[in-house]
Amino acid sequence: MMDRFYYYLSKGQSKSEALRNSKLDFLANADQLKSNPYFWSSFVIIGNSEPVYSNSNWKMILELLLIISTVPLVILLLYRKYKKDANIKST
């Protein structure tokens, strides 16, 4: 059951969602004896239940990298335009 819990956590689910889904998977595959709450009900979430891996963090990092990589390109284009305009005025 814990393998599935960590699997769901890695997919960005909150801890409570991941635990619920892992319990449901366990019950779907358990025989009649193991489906007894004795085997799975002791797993509970206490405290912070936010996701460990947030998909929004990766999105924010990618957006930041995109912005950082475009700044030098914009500066280069402005420099070339300024240089071209300066050459035209001097002739």
Side-chain angles (χ1 to χ4, degrees):
M1 190 168 87
M2 295 309 295
D3 290 337
R4 298 302 294 172
F5 173 71
Y6 288 114
Y7 168 76
Y8 288 122
L9 277 181
S10 71
K11 295 298 181 190
Q13 292 185 0
S14 69
K15 294 173 189 123
S16 57
E17 288 174 325
L19 183 61
R20 179 184 182 276
N21 288 333
S22 65
K23 284 181 179 181
L24 291 174
D25 288 352
F26 178 80
L27 290 172
N29 297 320
D31 59 14
Q32 190 171 4
L33 175 65
K34 294 248 177 161
S35 63
N36 189 314
Y38 173 81
F39 292 98
W40 55 266
S41 64
S42 61
F43 293 99
V44 294
I45 299 294
I46 298 174
N48 181 359
S49 68
E50 292 185 20
V52 176
Y53 304 107
S54 177
N55 293 335
S56 63
N57 287 343
W58 288 106
K59 186 177 180 182
M60 184 179 69
I61 291 170
L62 289 175
E63 289 173 352
L64 184 62
L65 287 173
L66 180 65
I67 291 169
I68 291 172
S69 64
T70 57
V71 168
L73 180 64
V74 170
I75 291 172
L76 178 67
L77 291 174
L78 290 174
Y79 174 75
R80 291 179 78 189
K81 183 178 182 330
Y82 173 76
K83 190 174 179 182
K84 184 179 178 183
D85 289 345
N87 285 340
I88 290 173
K89 287 182 182 179
S90 66
T91 56

